[in-house]
Amino acid sequence: MSRWWREAALYQIYPRSFQDSDGDGIGDLEGIRRRLDHIAELGVGAVWLSPIFRSPMADFGYDVSDYRNIDPLFGDMAAFDRLLQEVHARGLKLLLDFVPNHSSDQHPWFQESRSSRENPRRDWYIWRDPAPDGSPPNNWTSNFGGSAWAWDEPTGQYYYHAFLAEQPDLNWRNPEVRAAMHDVLRFWLDKGVDGFRVDVIWHLIKDAQFRDNPPNPAYAPGRPDIDRYLQVHSADQPEVHNVIAELRAVIESYPDRLLIGEIYLPIERLMAYYGHDNRGVHLPFNFQLIQCTWRADVLGKLIDEYEAALPEGGWPNWVLSNHDQPRIAARVGDAQARIAAMLLLTLRGTPTLYYGDEIGIYDIDMSEETVLDPAAINEPGVSFNRDRSRSPMQWTKQEFAGFSNVKTWLPLTDDWKQRNAAVQGEEPASMLNLYRALLRLRCVERDLLAGAYRRISSDNPVLIYQRGQTIGVVLNLSSENVPLVLPTEWRNVSVLLSARKVKPLPHMPTDLSGGEGLILRIADGAE
Ligand code: NOJ
Ligand code: MG
């Protein structure tokens, strides 16, 4: 059995923002195809596309109205087939975003479901009678603010939506829904896609009795509505693991496909998603690096905890940014974003990169009036405006950064004339060349791919760890110079890569400058 995804780095593309080819200011599939050189040169092994399916775009594609067609904004099926074929021709893999928890309210399934209580598809979604006083059936809250229940006047019931009212939740307890969704997976697997990232997979099953969630004692005003209650009954139910095992079985009936789950849960609960006997998802996304404080001691501890919690046979993975979160450069700054890159690409496990992070794109400024993200519109000033981390990729210093030939759907960063792939490609020590060097090193150093992880020390501000017997990593998480103190058991050490210089160093430095990170070859060391 091939385990390509243990070695490949994954690269997330937000399709609206990668490359426009038809002059509407919005990225599309043909645009992605034209930029495959960049991806291949970077050195990642697989591309994951955020949703490209037909959608009214109430949540920018995470509201699917036809799971088997491409939205015209992104192109058509011929464009998809061509992209898939060219991705494969370059030896890369293509992953799609599967959004099974909810459809669009415009999906024919929901149109039928809402048409009458007797409709055969009524039970494909989650319908409940009102409470005796007419209010919603329970206190469950939408992730995008307000009650998670929408009133349907004509049929006199509420339907459940964990996100927007335009995103009704499907009823995964219904075997017909499961079968229909398995067919969707097979449709794309038959075309040859290499796997899926599954949207909010821990949400698929809800409490059968629809009990109220308990209040969250830590809730403070000014926090998003979803934080008012602990999501004890509305998600992460034990039965979800059977549903996932079925998805996995569909995946396993094709060779070498990958199943990733999007899961925001604490480490212990996250680990359950590897499934009984590892028959859950191959990779439950690990967002620890997105949520932590950027400090050596904090990182040292969380990596240890994560490594220790992994089930036997469970393969680790690490993520720095995605389309729902502030970008890494916005969180830690330009200098530390390099350290973050070095960390991401030297930890044990599959790394996921977010497009644009390889040139250090930071979050764009957005005024309140121009916000597009429905979550930020619903809870202004409370939830992170996700537009800010979804800005167009910056390719060149030509107009519109080479992304489009018209005004881009979201603004570029202020410094796009310098911060773009073409300019950085010419600068030997750029962020882009650092990413390329790191990805290249991962391919040639077996211990970076497969060697055990062992923390050496994490006394602020320096994190030191070893991979296998031959690789050492030293990261300065501060902007201060510090003396470089290596463990005495590391002998005959040389520098394979400096994060600041983006090359090997001829001699071991005595100091570690601020924002410096080193990958070391240990020629002679204890395990
Ligand atoms: C998680 C996705 O990443 C996010 O962008 C989306 O809004 C929600 N799921 C709902 O599908
Ligand atoms: Mg376009």
Side-chain angles (χ1 to χ4, degrees):
M1 192 189 342
S2 146
R3 296 276 184 188
W4 60 266
W5 45 269
R6 292 189 177 211
E7 309 209 335
L10 315 181
Y11 184 80
Q12 180 190 357
I13 289 182
Y14 195 66
R16 294 180 74 90
S17 291
F18 203 57
Q19 176 67 52
D20 178 23
S21 75
D22 60 356
D24 61 357
I26 300 176
D28 44 54
L29 294 180
E30 170 60 14
I32 296 171
R33 193 188 67 77
R34 292 186 195 165
R35 292 295 185 187
L36 287 179
D37 279 349
H38 172 79
I39 294 166
E41 243 179 275
L42 189 57
V44 296
V47 175
W48 148 38
L49 303 180
S50 278
I52 52 172
F53 315 106
R54 269 194 195 254
S55 165
M57 303 286 167
D59 188 20
F60 294 106
Y62 284 94
D63 49 323
V64 179
S65 56
D66 181 349
Y67 287 96
R68 298 167 189 240
N69 260 309
I70 305 296
D71 194 273
L73 193 67
F74 298 124
D76 56 16
M77 197 57 89
F80 175 79
D81 292 339
R82 194 158 166 219
L83 174 63
L84 178 61
Q85 193 250 318
E86 288 198 26
V87 165
H88 283 164
R90 288 165 191 266
L92 301 169
K93 308 281 186 183
L94 189 68
L95 307 172
L96 294 184
D97 207 316
F98 181 47
V99 191
N101 177 69
H102 42 268
S103 71
S104 160
D105 63 343
Q106 302 304 307
H107 195 294
W109 296 341
F110 187 70
Q111 298 287 315
E112 286 181 45
S113 183
R114 82 180 318 171
S115 67
S116 89
R117 289 197 190 198
E118 284 70 47
N119 187 279
R121 290 228 163 88
R122 183 67 168 180
D123 189 46
W124 280 43
Y125 291 82
I126 298 173
W127 293 97
R128 305 290 289 172
D129 289 334
D133 66 352
S135 62
N138 66 21
N139 68 1
W140 294 0
T141 309
S142 160
N143 283 271
F144 293 161
S147 170
W149 296 94
W151 177 244
D152 184 58
E153 184 64 41
T155 60
Q157 283 190 311
Y158 283 94
Y159 67 87
Y160 177 69
H161 57 92
F163 295 88
L164 297 175
E166 292 87 347
Q167 294 167 295
D169 278 46
L170 281 148
N171 176 14
W172 274 79
R173 291 183 185 273
N174 183 333
E176 291 176 16
V177 169
R178 298 211 291 272
M181 283 302 203
H182 296 167
D183 283 347
V184 169
L185 291 179
R186 288 192 198 97
F187 174 82
W188 294 103
L189 291 165
D190 285 339
K191 278 189 171 286
V193 310
D194 299 288
F196 302 91
R197 170 268 193 191
V198 185
D199 191 63
V200 294
I201 201 167
W202 84 108
H203 272 264
L204 290 181
I205 295 287
K206 301 78 163 104
D207 179 40
Q209 298 164 55
F210 292 90
R211 283 170 286 185
D212 273 348
N213 279 326
N216 175 5
Y219 175 76
R223 300 283 310 147
D225 271 357
I226 190 69
D227 289 353
R228 285 175 192 271
Y229 300 98
L230 301 171
Q231 311 297 302
V232 173
H233 298 303
S234 48
D236 192 29
Q237 300 300 295
E239 302 97 311
V240 77
H241 298 294
N242 302 332
V243 169
I244 296 173
E246 288 179 8
L247 298 177
R248 173 67 178 269
V250 174
I251 295 286
E252 291 293 329
S253 61
Y254 295 75
D256 301 339
R257 311 299 163 101
L258 171 64
L259 196 61
I260 306 176
E262 184 210 19
I263 302 154
Y264 285 92
L265 286 175
I267 288 184
E268 332 76 65
R269 302 217 56 104
L270 178 71
M271 293 302 165
Y273 286 76
Y274 283 100
H276 186 59
D277 290 337
N278 288 310
R279 275 177 295 153
V281 294
H282 295 101
L283 303 176
F285 259 151
N286 166 16
F287 297 133
Q288 304 291 323
L289 297 180
I290 294 186
Q291 295 165 325
C292 70
T293 310
W294 199 250
R295 262 185 15 208
D297 56 347
V298 173
L299 288 171
K301 185 158 171 273
L302 82 80
I303 300 163
D304 282 356
E305 280 171 6
Y306 178 77
E307 281 271 351
L310 283 166
E312 208 184 318
W315 183 251
N317 79 91
W318 298 94
V319 185
L320 277 186
S321 307
N322 63 39
H323 65 293
D324 294 326
Q325 306 290 343
R327 281 184 179 273
I328 183 67
R331 281 186 285 131
V332 303
D334 222 31
Q336 284 298 315
R338 289 172 165 258
I339 296 301
M342 194 168 258
L343 177 71
L344 175 73
L345 295 169
T346 57
L347 285 175
R348 193 174 75 94
T350 303
T352 301
L353 282 62
Y354 183 49
Y355 87 97
D357 279 0
E358 73 272 37
I359 55 170
I361 286 186
Y362 46 84
D363 292 352
I364 50 166
D365 286 330
M366 293 280 296
S367 70
E368 295 258 326
E369 306 87 75
T370 51
V371 173
L372 300 174
D373 172 17
I377 291 172
N378 284 1
E379 296 190 282
V382 171
S383 75
F384 171 65
N385 172 9
R386 300 176 300 171
D387 300 340
R388 301 188 58 201
S389 57
R390 297 174 173 180
S391 67
M393 180 63 183
Q394 298 170 177
W395 296 104
T396 66
K397 54 177 184 235
Q398 269 85 56
E399 218 185 359
F400 309 115
F403 167 78
S404 180
N405 51 17
V406 298
K407 188 163 177 274
T408 56
W409 78 286
L410 282 175
L412 306 165
T413 65
D414 290 337
D415 59 355
W416 64 269
K417 283 199 175 148
Q418 297 81 47
R419 189 179 299 283
N420 61 63
V423 165
Q424 290 199 10
E426 300 297 316
E427 293 168 357
S430 65
M431 182 86 80
L432 179 58
N433 280 318
L434 174 61
Y435 265 95
R436 287 175 178 160
L438 286 164
L439 284 156
R440 230 175 290 128
L441 209 55
R442 262 177 62 86
C443 290
V444 294
E445 295 296 334
R446 278 313 296 175
D447 273 342
L448 275 179
L449 286 178
Y453 169 89
R454 184 162 72 94
R455 178 167 60 88
I456 303 288
S457 63
S458 52
D459 302 330
N460 290 324
V462 180
L463 175 63
I464 306 183
Y465 51 90
Q466 186 170 337
R467 296 293 315 284
Q469 295 193 32
T470 62
I471 297 288
V473 180
V474 182
L475 303 173
N476 183 348
L477 279 277
S478 77
S479 52
E480 312 290 321
N481 272 29
V482 291
L484 176 58
V485 186
L486 295 180
T488 47
E489 70 260 32
W490 289 2
R491 301 208 193 89
N492 283 329
V493 178
S494 55
V495 181
L496 291 177
L497 187 65
S498 142
R500 287 177 56 133
K501 300 227 161 73
V502 191
K503 57 181 183 193
L505 300 182
H507 309 289
M508 270 315 279
T510 52
D511 280 356
L512 196 61
S513 23
E516 177 64 300
L518 304 174
I519 301 182
L520 308 175
R521 149 111 56 237
I522 309 164
D524 182 8
E527 198 174 336

